[in-house]
Structure formats: structure tokens, C-alpha cells
Amino acid sequence: MSQKNKTFKVVTLGCRTNQYESQAYQNQLEALGYDLSEGDDQPDICIVNTCTVTESADTSSRYQIRQLAKNTPTPKLLSQVVQQITNPKHLLRCQVSATS
């Protein structure tokens, strides 16, 4: 019986640089033997790569991260946020609610 490889999902929000970085994450995980999660399959690792410079984009990114944390019973949810910090309390609140 063959062992199933671990799976991953990469969610990209933001600029072209984020798209490039997300592709690099995907390439590295595949090189390590991970498979891209398909459709409704629950990934073992979920990476959220986001870049925001406006309050609206900040709000949208925090919402997406919380939704993924809530709807994806993934052992590992990683978030890379490049953000113009206009209110550091918002980011802290997102981290606390996503890990609780």
C-alpha cells in the first residue's frame, strides 16, 4: 500500500510579487514531496501570502485569513503578510483570533 503525500494550498492576495513568491512556495513544497491540494480536499499546510497598502485591503486580508482558519481544519496555517502598518492592533487581533 502506497503512502499518500502530504498536501498544501497556497492562497495569494495582492500584487504580482506575491504571485511570484507563491509560485516559489509551491515549487519548493513540490520538491519536498508535497502535492497541491485539489478541490475540496483539506490540505496539511495552508499558506496565505498577502500584501496590503490600504485599509480596505487590510480588512479583506484579515477576513480571508480568519475564514481559512475557521473553515480549514489544517494543522498548519501560515500567513505571510506584507502590510503598511497603519494600526498594529488590527494585525494582532487577526493573529489571536486565527490561533484560538
Side-chain angles (χ1 to χ4, degrees):
M1 176 180 245
S2 66
Q3 183 179 8
K4 183 181 174 209
N5 288 346
K6 291 192 176 210
T7 59
F8 69 94
K9 177 178 185 175
V10 178
V11 177
T12 307
L13 306 166
C15 64
R16 289 185 185 188
T17 300
N18 282 49
Q19 293 170 9
Y20 173 80
E21 290 171 343
S22 291
Q23 184 62 51
Y25 296 146
Q26 179 174 334
N27 294 344
Q28 291 170 11
L29 286 165
E30 288 173 339
L32 291 170
Y34 285 77
D35 291 328
L36 184 61
S37 180
E38 301 288 334
D40 291 335
D41 291 345
Q42 294 298 320
D44 296 297
I45 295 175
C46 185
I47 298 172
V48 181
N49 186 13
T50 181
C51 177
T52 68
V53 292
T54 66
E55 189 171 336
S56 174
D58 291 347
T59 300
S60 177
S61 291
R62 288 191 308 269
Y63 174 80
Q64 291 293 330
I65 292 167
R66 282 193 297 269
Q67 287 301 109
L68 283 165
K70 176 182 173 184
N71 297 325
T72 307
T74 300
K76 295 182 182 173
L77 174 63
L78 309 171
S79 175
Q80 173 177 314
V81 180
V82 177
Q83 180 178 34
Q84 178 180 347
I85 305 294
T86 54
N87 189 343
K89 292 179 183 178
H90 287 277
L91 187 57
L92 179 61
R93 189 173 353 163
C94 184
Q95 291 172 337
V96 170
S97 62
T99 58
S100 340

